[in-house]
Amino acid sequence: MADALARTQPDIIALQEVRASDAITFEHLGELWDVVNFPCEIKGRAGVAVAVRKDSPVKISSDTARFGAHTDGEPVPVDTGRWLEVDVIDGNRTVTVVSAYLHSGQVGTEKMDQKYAHLELVTERMEALIGSGRDVIVCGDLNIVHTERDIKNWKGNHNKTAGVLDEEIAYVDAWLAQGWRDVTRDLSGDEQGPYTWWSWRGKAFDNNAGWRIDYQLATPGLAATASEVVVDRAVDYASRFSDHAPLRIAYA
Protein backbone atom coordinates (compact mmCIF):
# COMPACT_ATOMS: atom_id res chain seq x y z
CA MET A 1 0.00 0.00 0.00
CA ALA A 2 2.83 2.41 0.83
CA ASP A 3 4.33 1.80 -2.63
CA ALA A 4 0.95 2.44 -4.25
CA LEU A 5 0.53 5.74 -2.40
CA ALA A 6 4.04 6.84 -3.33
CA ARG A 7 3.36 6.03 -6.96
CA THR A 8 -0.09 7.61 -7.31
CA GLN A 9 0.37 10.62 -4.99
CA PRO A 10 -3.29 11.18 -4.05
CA ASP A 11 -4.19 14.38 -2.22
CA ILE A 12 -6.84 12.63 -0.13
CA ILE A 13 -7.36 8.99 0.80
CA ALA A 14 -10.43 7.43 2.37
CA LEU A 15 -9.74 4.12 4.09
CA GLN A 16 -12.13 1.40 5.22
CA GLU A 17 -11.70 -1.71 7.38
CA VAL A 18 -8.83 0.01 9.15
CA ARG A 19 -9.41 -2.12 12.27
CA ALA A 20 -6.90 -0.12 14.31
CA SER A 21 -6.59 2.48 17.03
CA ASP A 22 -5.54 6.06 16.35
CA ALA A 23 -1.96 5.36 17.44
CA ILE A 24 -1.54 2.34 15.16
CA THR A 25 -3.23 4.06 12.21
CA PHE A 26 -1.10 7.19 12.51
CA GLU A 27 2.09 5.14 12.86
CA HIS A 28 1.39 3.04 9.79
CA LEU A 29 0.44 5.97 7.54
CA GLY A 30 3.45 7.91 8.75
CA GLU A 31 4.36 11.57 9.06
CA LEU A 32 3.43 12.50 5.48
CA TRP A 33 -0.29 12.44 6.27
CA ASP A 34 -2.78 14.38 8.38
CA VAL A 35 -5.23 11.73 9.54
CA VAL A 36 -8.69 11.57 11.10
CA ASN A 37 -9.49 8.04 12.28
CA PHE A 38 -12.78 6.59 13.52
CA PRO A 39 -12.19 3.15 15.09
CA CYS A 40 -14.99 0.73 15.81
CA GLU A 41 -15.96 0.30 19.46
CA ILE A 42 -15.68 -3.47 18.86
CA LYS A 43 -11.96 -4.13 18.74
CA GLY A 44 -10.66 -5.57 15.49
CA ARG A 45 -13.71 -4.68 13.39
CA ALA A 46 -14.57 -2.03 10.81
CA GLY A 47 -12.84 1.34 11.24
CA VAL A 48 -12.67 4.20 8.73
CA ALA A 49 -10.25 7.06 8.20
CA VAL A 50 -9.63 10.09 6.00
CA ALA A 51 -6.07 11.28 5.39
CA VAL A 52 -4.70 14.29 3.50
CA ARG A 53 -1.11 14.48 2.26
CA LYS A 54 0.69 17.24 4.16
CA ASP A 55 2.41 18.61 1.04
CA SER A 56 -0.91 18.81 -0.80
CA PRO A 57 -2.74 22.12 -1.32
CA VAL A 58 -5.75 20.43 0.29
CA LYS A 59 -6.01 20.84 4.07
CA ILE A 60 -8.20 19.31 6.76
CA SER A 61 -10.46 21.88 8.37
CA SER A 62 -9.39 22.21 12.00
CA ASP A 63 -12.86 22.44 13.51
CA THR A 64 -15.09 20.10 11.48
CA ALA A 65 -15.00 16.34 11.70
CA ARG A 66 -18.42 14.77 12.06
CA PHE A 67 -19.32 11.18 12.71
CA GLY A 68 -22.22 11.18 10.30
CA ALA A 69 -24.93 8.61 10.67
CA HIS A 70 -25.27 8.95 14.45
CA THR A 71 -25.55 12.68 14.95
CA ASP A 72 -29.02 12.36 16.49
CA GLY A 73 -28.34 9.65 19.05
CA GLU A 74 -25.94 7.27 20.69
CA PRO A 75 -24.26 4.93 18.19
CA VAL A 76 -24.81 1.20 18.21
CA PRO A 77 -21.36 -0.38 18.78
CA VAL A 78 -21.56 -2.54 15.66
CA ASP A 79 -22.29 0.60 13.60
CA THR A 80 -19.27 2.55 14.85
CA GLY A 81 -16.21 2.90 12.66
CA ARG A 82 -18.38 2.89 9.57
CA TRP A 83 -19.19 6.51 8.66
CA LEU A 84 -16.77 9.40 9.06
CA GLU A 85 -17.24 12.92 7.66
CA VAL A 86 -14.28 15.26 7.33
CA ASP A 87 -14.31 18.75 5.83
CA VAL A 88 -11.28 19.56 3.68
CA ILE A 89 -10.34 22.95 2.28
CA ASP A 90 -9.16 23.24 -1.32
CA GLY A 91 -8.40 26.89 -2.05
CA ASN A 92 -11.65 28.79 -1.54
CA ARG A 93 -13.76 25.63 -1.61
CA THR A 94 -14.71 23.30 1.25
CA VAL A 95 -15.54 19.69 0.42
CA THR A 96 -16.98 17.16 2.85
CA VAL A 97 -15.28 13.79 2.38
CA VAL A 98 -17.08 10.78 3.81
CA SER A 99 -15.30 7.48 4.36
CA ALA A 100 -17.98 4.80 4.55
CA TYR A 101 -17.81 1.11 5.30
CA LEU A 102 -21.31 -0.35 5.27
CA HIS A 103 -22.17 -3.73 6.72
CA SER A 104 -21.60 -6.72 4.46
CA GLY A 105 -24.54 -8.66 5.88
CA GLN A 106 -25.34 -12.35 5.71
CA VAL A 107 -28.66 -13.61 4.42
CA GLY A 108 -30.92 -15.10 7.08
CA THR A 109 -28.87 -13.87 10.05
CA GLU A 110 -28.80 -10.99 12.53
CA LYS A 111 -26.04 -9.44 10.41
CA MET A 112 -28.60 -8.73 7.70
CA ASP A 113 -30.89 -6.97 10.17
CA GLN A 114 -27.94 -4.85 11.32
CA LYS A 115 -27.16 -3.96 7.71
CA TYR A 116 -30.68 -2.80 6.93
CA ALA A 117 -30.89 -0.77 10.15
CA HIS A 118 -27.64 0.97 9.27
CA LEU A 119 -28.73 1.55 5.67
CA GLU A 120 -31.76 3.43 6.99
CA LEU A 121 -29.50 5.74 9.01
CA VAL A 122 -27.15 6.23 6.06
CA THR A 123 -30.04 7.06 3.72
CA GLU A 124 -31.34 9.67 6.15
CA ARG A 125 -27.88 11.21 6.50
CA MET A 126 -27.25 11.26 2.75
CA GLU A 127 -30.51 13.08 2.20
CA ALA A 128 -29.44 15.72 4.72
CA LEU A 129 -25.99 16.07 3.13
CA ILE A 130 -27.23 16.55 -0.41
CA GLY A 131 -29.85 18.96 0.86
CA SER A 132 -27.19 21.06 2.57
CA GLY A 133 -25.90 22.51 -0.70
CA ARG A 134 -22.32 21.58 0.20
CA ASP A 135 -19.86 19.74 -2.04
CA VAL A 136 -19.74 16.18 -0.71
CA ILE A 137 -18.11 12.90 -1.77
CA VAL A 138 -19.14 9.62 -0.15
CA CYS A 139 -16.23 7.22 -0.68
CA GLY A 140 -15.94 3.62 0.29
CA ASP A 141 -17.05 0.05 0.48
CA LEU A 142 -20.83 0.15 0.34
CA ASN A 143 -21.11 -3.65 0.04
CA ILE A 144 -23.91 -3.48 -2.54
CA VAL A 145 -23.70 -3.93 -6.30
CA HIS A 146 -26.12 -1.81 -8.28
CA THR A 147 -26.80 -3.62 -11.57
CA GLU A 148 -25.72 -6.62 -13.63
CA ARG A 149 -22.82 -4.51 -14.91
CA ASP A 150 -21.33 -4.43 -11.41
CA ILE A 151 -20.77 -8.15 -10.83
CA LYS A 152 -19.35 -10.92 -13.01
CA ASN A 153 -21.73 -13.63 -11.82
CA TRP A 154 -25.07 -11.85 -11.55
CA LYS A 155 -27.24 -14.90 -12.13
CA GLY A 156 -25.48 -16.98 -9.48
CA ASN A 157 -25.73 -14.27 -6.80
CA HIS A 158 -28.84 -12.17 -7.51
CA ASN A 159 -31.31 -12.45 -4.62
CA LYS A 160 -29.18 -15.24 -3.14
CA THR A 161 -26.13 -13.48 -1.73
CA ALA A 162 -25.83 -10.44 0.53
CA GLY A 163 -24.85 -7.42 -1.53
CA VAL A 164 -26.88 -8.57 -4.53
CA LEU A 165 -30.38 -8.55 -3.05
CA ASP A 166 -33.08 -6.37 -4.58
CA GLU A 167 -33.91 -4.99 -1.14
CA GLU A 168 -30.31 -3.77 -0.80
CA ILE A 169 -30.11 -2.48 -4.37
CA ALA A 170 -33.19 -0.35 -3.65
CA TYR A 171 -31.07 1.73 -1.28
CA VAL A 172 -28.59 2.57 -4.04
CA ASP A 173 -31.54 3.51 -6.24
CA ALA A 174 -32.83 5.75 -3.44
CA TRP A 175 -29.47 7.54 -3.09
CA LEU A 176 -29.30 8.21 -6.81
CA ALA A 177 -32.90 9.43 -6.70
CA GLN A 178 -31.84 11.93 -4.01
CA GLY A 179 -29.49 13.41 -6.62
CA TRP A 180 -26.17 11.72 -5.86
CA ARG A 181 -24.01 10.84 -8.86
CA ASP A 182 -22.27 7.48 -9.16
CA VAL A 183 -19.07 9.01 -10.50
CA THR A 184 -17.44 5.75 -11.58
CA ARG A 185 -20.45 4.82 -13.67
CA ASP A 186 -20.73 8.34 -15.09
CA LEU A 187 -17.12 8.18 -16.29
CA SER A 188 -16.94 4.54 -17.37
CA GLY A 189 -20.29 4.36 -19.17
CA ASP A 190 -22.06 1.09 -19.85
CA GLU A 191 -19.02 -1.18 -19.65
CA GLN A 192 -18.98 -4.24 -17.43
CA GLY A 193 -17.32 -3.24 -14.16
CA PRO A 194 -14.84 -1.82 -13.42
CA TYR A 195 -14.72 -4.28 -10.54
CA THR A 196 -13.08 -3.25 -7.26
CA TRP A 197 -13.32 -6.44 -5.18
CA TRP A 198 -12.40 -10.07 -5.79
CA SER A 199 -12.69 -12.89 -3.28
CA TRP A 200 -9.45 -14.35 -1.97
CA ARG A 201 -10.95 -17.78 -2.65
CA GLY A 202 -10.36 -19.91 -5.72
CA LYS A 203 -9.59 -18.23 -9.02
CA ALA A 204 -11.87 -15.20 -8.60
CA PHE A 205 -9.05 -12.71 -9.18
CA ASP A 206 -7.41 -14.64 -12.01
CA ASN A 207 -10.77 -15.01 -13.77
CA ASN A 208 -11.78 -11.41 -13.01
CA ALA A 209 -14.89 -12.68 -11.25
CA GLY A 210 -15.24 -9.40 -9.42
CA TRP A 211 -17.78 -7.09 -7.84
CA ARG A 212 -18.04 -3.29 -8.03
CA ILE A 213 -18.89 -2.47 -4.43
CA ASP A 214 -16.56 0.50 -3.86
CA TYR A 215 -18.08 3.82 -4.86
CA GLN A 216 -17.58 7.53 -4.95
CA LEU A 217 -21.00 9.14 -4.79
CA ALA A 218 -20.73 12.89 -5.27
CA THR A 219 -23.06 15.84 -5.22
CA PRO A 220 -23.89 16.89 -8.81
CA GLY A 221 -21.72 20.02 -9.04
CA LEU A 222 -18.67 18.22 -7.75
CA ALA A 223 -19.34 15.14 -9.88
CA ALA A 224 -19.35 17.34 -12.96
CA THR A 225 -15.69 18.21 -12.33
CA ALA A 226 -14.54 14.56 -12.30
CA SER A 227 -12.23 13.80 -15.21
CA GLU A 228 -10.74 10.34 -14.71
CA VAL A 229 -11.48 7.11 -12.86
CA VAL A 230 -8.85 4.42 -12.27
CA VAL A 231 -9.12 1.11 -10.45
CA ASP A 232 -5.60 0.08 -9.43
CA ARG A 233 -6.04 -3.65 -9.96
CA ALA A 234 -2.90 -5.56 -9.00
CA VAL A 235 -0.93 -7.11 -11.84
CA ASP A 236 -1.32 -10.59 -10.33
CA TYR A 237 -2.71 -12.39 -7.29
CA ALA A 238 0.61 -12.35 -5.43
CA SER A 239 0.87 -8.56 -5.71
CA ARG A 240 -2.42 -7.83 -3.94
CA PHE A 241 -2.34 -6.07 -0.57
CA SER A 242 -6.13 -6.29 -0.16
CA ASP A 243 -9.12 -8.10 -1.62
CA HIS A 244 -10.18 -4.60 -2.78
CA ALA A 245 -8.37 -2.47 -5.35
CA PRO A 246 -7.95 1.28 -4.77
CA LEU A 247 -10.50 3.41 -6.60
CA ARG A 248 -9.00 6.74 -7.68
CA ILE A 249 -10.96 9.63 -9.18
CA ALA A 250 -9.54 13.00 -10.19
CA TYR A 251 -11.65 16.11 -9.53
CA ALA A 252 -10.90 19.62 -10.74
Side-chain angles (χ1 to χ4, degrees), residues 4 7 196 198 214 230-234 241-242 244-248:
R7 174 176 54 83
T196 60
W198 301 262
D214 299 277
V230 177
V231 175
D232 282 321
R233 189 180 189 271
F241 59 81
S242 170
H244 294 259
L247 170 65
R248 293 189 290 116

Side-chain angles (χ1 to χ4, degrees), residues 148-237:
E148 294 182 46
R149 293 173 297 174
D150 301 314
I151 183 171
K152 178 73 172 285
N153 185 8
W154 171 264
K155 186 175 181 180
N157 287 284
H158 183 220
N159 284 328
K160 302 170 187 174
T161 307
V164 202
L165 309 179
D166 284 340
E167 189 173 354
E168 297 169 289
I169 292 168
Y171 284 94
V172 181
D173 289 334
W175 302 333
L176 298 180
Q178 288 174 349
W180 294 92
R181 302 300 309 176
D182 180 352
V183 182
T184 299
R185 183 55 64 204
D186 285 350
L187 292 176
S188 61
D190 290 333
E191 70 177 57
Q192 190 67 24
Y195 305 134
T196 60
W197 178 85
W198 301 262
S199 172
W200 287 114
R201 301 189 187 101
K203 295 288 185 178
F205 184 80
D206 295 336
N207 295 331
N208 200 27
W211 300 37
R212 187 177 78 92
I213 53 176
D214 299 277
Y215 292 76
Q216 291 190 29
L217 302 178
T219 46
L222 189 58
T225 73
S227 58
E228 181 184 29
V229 58
V230 177
V231 175
D232 282 321
R233 189 180 189 271
V235 295
D236 55 34
Y237 184 97

Side-chain angles (χ1 to χ4, degrees), residues 117-176:
H118 192 239
L119 285 168
E120 287 293 319
L121 291 170
V122 167
T123 300
E124 180 181 347
R125 184 58 186 160
M126 289 181 71
E127 185 174 17
L129 285 171
I130 200 165
S132 71
R134 305 201 303 268
D135 287 329
V136 186
I137 313 172
V138 177
C139 308
D141 179 3
L142 305 189
N143 270 312
I144 306 171
V145 304
H146 188 216
T147 72
E148 294 182 46
R149 293 173 297 174
D150 301 314
I151 183 171
K152 178 73 172 285
N153 185 8
W154 171 264
K155 186 175 181 180
N157 287 284
H158 183 220
N159 284 328
K160 302 170 187 174
T161 307
V164 202
L165 309 179
D166 284 340
E167 189 173 354
E168 297 169 289
I169 292 168
Y171 284 94
V172 181
D173 289 334
W175 302 333
L176 298 180

Side-chain angles (χ1 to χ4, degrees), residues 55-106:
D55 63 357
S56 163
V58 179
K59 304 299 177 187
I60 291 178
S61 175
S62 60
D63 59 352
T64 50
R66 296 177 297 278
F67 299 89
H70 303 292
T71 53
D72 296 328
E74 289 298 317
V76 178
V78 76
D79 285 348
T80 57
R82 294 187 180 274
W83 184 274
L84 168 65
E85 299 173 15
V86 176
D87 282 359
V88 299
I89 300 171
D90 179 12
N92 294 322
R93 178 177 62 176
T94 298
V95 177
T96 300
V97 177
V98 179
S99 183
Y101 174 52
L102 307 191
H103 293 262
S104 56
Q106 185 176 351

Side-chain angles (χ1 to χ4, degrees), residues 45-56:
R45 295 189 64 175
V48 288
V50 172
V52 173
R53 208 173 71 244
K54 289 182 178 179
D55 63 357
S56 163

